[in-house]
């Protein structure tokens, strides 16, 4: 495709979306209007009346420092009207290291909360009933361990597991492609994912077992069309893996959700979400899904972190508003809005509140929630939806030719496409073809900057002390037996969730469980 990453082509007068689709100055030829909302292929929304009956879930992604500090932020956000929690974990937790591991030095509590054991999970949700909130956990390589801790805590609270709802991201393929927090090779990682599918279909039927994420690939530099294609390709790979496992697509596909980015091109983002629903409905039908609930693409949206600027940070409030509006007009089921200061550091309480209020103003004051798919029938939106689908299908065809998403990642195809688009975008910014207010146009001298939330290294000392106490107080023989059971299940092919839950209940740490599987699966090295 031409002009990928450019908004304008110098000297031609032509204008393009970020995916390189030409935007005409006028659209006066009608496209066929898709079927009504709530009907296949759900282009106009998965529910007939959308937000008139129920607003999207308003989440604020938060997690930093210790579990106690994060708990305070969660309780504050809940008091301000947040309707769902979204947990950020620190890097050691994401890649399976306890806080006292040498690899954790300098990273404990920095970009998320440190969770080493069930004790930390108890502190994280102190005073919060797990059957009274929905919780999204952004965790992948160690998703099965964090979910096991969540299940163990729900049991302690006396919750009915059938009523526990939320999402675990659990999308390892995009980690190999764009983000890097993987541990095990692709095949055992896919096995862990299908273990979660199988276990939750029996024990946690209301839990979303995976959130197939285009967000991080977009943050790494891909275009809207690539985000659409690569996300659906990964979703297809998970469907096929579960079908090979013998699972019923009409059961497990109901609990698959998606996680998309929202960037600044309002109309392209709206069209992307509409195209995603249509393409997923067709894809699941082709793979055998007959239940409409298994054909529906449900998704969470986060506004684009990579679009935020350290220069003139208050401008980010406007960017986030445009992006949130795109998500709502596109029919999102759940939304996180970024803080205006996140290009500088972790969001302050004030920034998090403004971000939440942005959603609330859209929901209660703007009128956009009063009708389903309000831009449906727009010549421009319908044409752009078609063109984005066409662009995405060309990528999907190439991925299929390479043997599917796993093989395309192993061969570096998706990584190379993302890198190429990221480079083109940066070129466009540096050459002034793409305007970023405050960065390459309308700059001004910064008079002051908002205070930045700082996390110091003392958090690691707190966590190390807690781990030392934990190991002194627990039953070491029981812990060793539980870890042996985890290794045995890994070798035998049995579902890993029951022995991992037993291990966390015996107070085995996250790092110990991750290491038990490292001893069987090995580690992935590029």
């Amino acid at each position: 495709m031409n002009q990928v990453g450019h908004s304008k082509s110098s000297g031609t007068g032509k204008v393009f979306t970020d995916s390189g689709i030409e935007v005409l100055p006028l659209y006066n030829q009608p496209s066929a209007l898709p079927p009504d909302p709530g009907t296949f292929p759900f282009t106009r929304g998965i529910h007939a009346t959308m937000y008139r009956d129920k607003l999207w879930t308003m989440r604020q992604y938060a997690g930093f420092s210790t579990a106690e500090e994060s708990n305070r932020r969660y309780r504050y956000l809940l008091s301000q009207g947040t309707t769902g929690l979204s947990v950020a974990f620190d890097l050691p937790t994401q890649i399976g290291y306890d806080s006292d591991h040498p690899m954790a030095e300098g990273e404990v509590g920095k970009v998320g909360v440190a969770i080493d054991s069930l004790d930390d999970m108890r502190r994280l949700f102190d005073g919060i009933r797990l059957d009274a909130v929905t919780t999204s956990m952004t965790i992948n390589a160690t998703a099965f361990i964090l979910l096991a801790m969540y299940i163990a805590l729900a049991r302690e609270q006396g919750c009915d597991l059938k009523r526990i709802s939320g999402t675990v991201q659990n999308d390892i393929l995009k980690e190999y492609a764009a983000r890097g927090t993987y541990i095990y090779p692709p095949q055992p990682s896919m096995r862990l994912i299908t273990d979660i599918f199988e276990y939750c279909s029996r024990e946690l039927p209301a839990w979303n077992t995976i959130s197939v994420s285009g967000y991080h690939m977009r943050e790494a530099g891909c275009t809207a069309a690539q985000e659409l294609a690569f996300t659906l390709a990964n979703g297809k790979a998970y469907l096929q893996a579960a079908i090979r496992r013998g699972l019923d697509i009409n059961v497990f596909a109901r609990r698959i959700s998606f996680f998309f980015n929202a960037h600044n091109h309002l109309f392209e983002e709206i069209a992307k979400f509409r195209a995603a629903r249509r393409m997923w409905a067709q894809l699941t039908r082709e793979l055998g899904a007959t239940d409409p609930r298994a054909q529906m693409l449900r998704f969470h949206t986060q506004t684009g972190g990579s679009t935020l600027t350290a220069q003139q940070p208050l401008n980010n409030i406007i960017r986030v508003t445009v992006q949130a509006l795109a998500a709502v007009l596109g029919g999102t089921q759940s939304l996180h809005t970024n803080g205006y200061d996140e290009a500088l550091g972790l969001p302050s309480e004030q920034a998090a509140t403004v971000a939440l209020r942005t959603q609330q103003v859209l929901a209660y004051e703007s009128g956009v929630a009063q009708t389903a798919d309000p831009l449906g029938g727009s010549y421009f939106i319908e044409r752009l939806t078609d063109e984005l689908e066409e662009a995405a299908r060309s990528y999907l065809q190439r991925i299929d030719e390479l043997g599917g998403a796993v093989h395309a990642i192993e061969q570096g195809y998706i990584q190379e496409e993302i890198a190429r688009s990221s480079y083109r975008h940066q070129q466009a910014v540096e050459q002034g073809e793409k305007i970023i207010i405050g960065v390459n146009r309308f700059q001004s001298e910064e008079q002051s900057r908002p205070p930045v939330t700082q996390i110091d290294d003392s958090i690691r000392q707190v966590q190390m002390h807690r781990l030392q106490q934990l190991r002194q107080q627990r039953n070491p023989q029981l812990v060793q037996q539980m870890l042996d059971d985890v290794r045995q299940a890994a070798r035998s092919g049995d579902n890993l969730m029951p022995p991992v839950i037993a291990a966390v209940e015996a107070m085995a740490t996250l790092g110990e469980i991750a290491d038990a599987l490292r001893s069987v699966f090995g580690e992935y090295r590029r």
Side-chain angles (χ1 to χ4, degrees):
M1 297 179 63
N2 295 322
Q3 303 299 330
V4 173
H6 293 247
S7 61
K8 190 168 184 179
S9 177
S10 299
T12 67
K14 292 183 177 181
V15 175
F16 300 85
T17 71
D18 290 341
S19 294
I21 296 170
E22 184 179 356
V23 179
L24 302 178
L26 176 66
Y27 287 77
N28 57 9
Q29 293 299 317
S31 298
L33 189 64
D36 289 342
T39 60
F40 185 92
F42 312 106
T43 311
R44 305 193 65 197
I46 61 172
H47 302 300
T49 56
M50 288 302 290
Y51 305 130
R52 286 186 68 125
D53 291 330
K54 181 183 179 182
L55 288 172
W56 63 92
T57 301
M58 299 181 193
R59 298 190 188 277
Q60 286 306 118
Y61 184 49
F64 58 95
S65 186
T66 61
E68 291 92 340
E69 285 296 318
S70 294
N71 175 266
R72 278 190 279 273
R73 176 64 63 87
Y74 296 154
R75 295 175 76 163
Y76 170 76
L77 289 169
L78 288 169
S79 75
Q80 296 300 303
T82 291
T83 53
L85 300 177
S86 186
V87 185
F89 297 96
D90 71 359
L91 283 175
T93 303
Q94 292 181 49
I95 54 178
Y97 293 122
D98 289 333
S99 295
D100 57 358
H101 193 283
M103 290 292 287
E105 186 172 356
E107 293 292 346
V108 176
K110 291 294 180 69
V111 299
V113 63
I115 300 294
D116 293 319
S117 70
L118 180 57
D119 268 353
D120 287 330
M121 190 66 82
R122 291 169 179 147
R123 297 182 185 103
L124 185 64
F125 291 101
D126 183 40
I128 301 172
R129 286 280 302 186
L130 300 190
D131 54 4
V133 296
T134 66
T135 302
S136 173
M137 294 191 284
T138 303
I139 195 76
N140 297 285
T142 54
F144 64 103
I145 305 174
L146 273 300
L147 178 58
M149 291 180 183
Y150 197 85
I151 292 169
L153 180 58
R155 287 175 173 173
E156 287 184 4
Q157 291 184 352
C159 299
D160 179 359
L161 294 185
K162 306 292 185 187
R163 299 180 59 190
I164 295 295
S165 63
T167 305
V168 64
Q169 191 164 99
N170 197 29
D171 174 10
I172 202 64
L173 291 179
K174 65 92 175 49
E175 296 296 326
Y176 300 117
R179 193 161 174 268
T181 63
Y182 47 77
I183 303 174
Y184 314 111
Q187 293 306 324
S189 293
M190 293 291 283
R191 178 261 180 98
L192 289 169
I193 289 168
T194 53
D195 278 358
I196 291 176
F197 285 2
E198 183 179 58
Y199 179 84
C200 290
S201 66
R202 296 194 310 265
E203 306 296 335
L204 275 78
W207 190 265
N208 295 325
T209 51
I210 193 168
S211 177
V212 188
S213 174
Y215 182 88
H216 302 93
M217 291 184 284
R218 191 70 179 276
E219 290 293 281
C222 76
T223 67
Q226 289 172 331
E227 179 189 4
L228 178 56
F230 300 158
T231 306
L232 295 186
N234 288 348
K236 181 179 179 180
Y238 296 129
L239 289 177
Q240 291 171 327
I243 290 168
R244 287 195 296 270
R245 183 73 167 265
L247 303 183
D248 183 353
I249 190 172
N250 284 309
V251 176
F252 74 81
R254 297 180 200 170
R255 306 319 311 172
I256 293 178
S257 66
F258 287 79
F259 176 21
F260 286 113
N261 209 313
H263 271 222
N264 289 329
H265 196 297
L266 178 71
F267 300 110
E268 181 171 48
E269 296 302 302
I270 295 167
K272 178 187 75 180
F273 299 134
R274 299 171 91 249
R277 276 192 296 271
R278 184 162 68 198
M279 293 175 70
W280 183 250
Q282 293 165 344
L283 192 157
T284 52
R285 176 179 277 186
E286 289 168 3
L287 290 176
T290 55
D291 186 334
R293 291 171 295 174
Q295 299 166 340
M296 293 177 181
L297 183 144
R298 299 167 298 114
F299 68 99
H300 169 73
T301 309
Q302 181 172 337
T303 56
S306 62
T307 70
L308 304 181
T309 65
Q311 301 90 334
Q312 303 176 28
L314 290 178
N315 292 345
N316 294 327
I317 298 174
I318 296 98
R319 293 185 178 100
V320 167
T321 302
V322 171
Q323 294 162 8
L325 181 60
V328 173
L329 292 174
T332 193
Q333 277 63 67
S334 171
L335 178 61
H336 163 85
T337 34
N338 290 330
Y340 63 82
D341 56 359
E342 289 190 46
L344 301 169
L346 290 170
S348 64
E349 190 171 283
Q350 180 196 50
T353 303
V354 171
L356 175 59
R357 295 289 182 254
T358 301
Q359 295 199 48
Q360 292 167 334
V361 169
L362 287 175
Y364 298 106
E365 297 185 24
S366 72
V368 296
Q370 293 175 353
T371 187
D373 191 29
L375 292 185
S378 156
Y379 301 158
F380 181 34
I381 288 295
E382 297 299 345
R383 172 83 167 270
L384 196 50
T385 301
D386 292 343
E387 289 177 320
L388 272 169
E389 178 174 356
E390 182 182 352
R393 287 197 181 279
S394 68
Y395 287 113
L396 285 169
Q397 181 178 352
R398 177 60 181 149
I399 290 169
D400 284 343
E401 290 169 355
L402 293 171
V406 175
H407 292 294
I409 289 168
E410 289 175 337
Q411 295 171 57
Y413 168 72
I414 292 176
Q415 297 92 311
E416 290 171 4
E417 289 295 319
I418 294 172
R420 189 175 295 114
S421 293
S422 179
Y423 178 66
R424 289 172 180 165
H425 169 82
Q426 187 60 32
Q427 278 186 313
V429 172
E430 292 178 2
Q431 294 167 8
E433 295 177 11
K434 186 169 184 64
I435 296 170
I436 309 293
I437 305 303
V439 175
N440 63 359
R441 186 78 66 88
F442 309 115
Q443 299 99 324
S444 63
E445 292 293 327
E446 300 288 341
Q447 300 299 316
S448 63
R449 285 192 171 187
V452 177
T453 304
Q454 300 284 351
I455 305 295
D456 63 51
D457 289 331
S458 65
I459 302 303
R460 185 173 189 238
Q461 299 304 315
V462 172
Q463 289 298 114
M464 289 173 70
H465 177 68
R466 287 175 172 172
L467 281 166
Q468 183 180 32
Q469 286 186 316
L470 175 75
R471 291 177 178 127
Q472 289 173 348
Q473 295 168 359
R474 68 188 185 180
N475 182 331
Q477 289 79 23
L478 178 61
V479 170
Q480 190 56 54
Q481 179 58 56
M482 295 300 101
L483 293 174
D484 287 342
D485 290 348
V486 169
R487 281 186 282 265
Q488 177 57 34
R491 294 188 188 99
S492 68
D494 292 341
N495 193 299
L496 276 158
M497 285 303 298
V500 170
I501 294 169
V504 301
E505 289 176 333
M507 304 312 294
T509 68
L510 174 136
E512 290 167 341
I513 297 169
D515 282 346
L517 293 187
R518 282 185 177 97
S519 69
V520 178
F521 296 151
E523 289 188 283
Y524 182 64
R525 300 283 189 227
R526 284 190 176 171

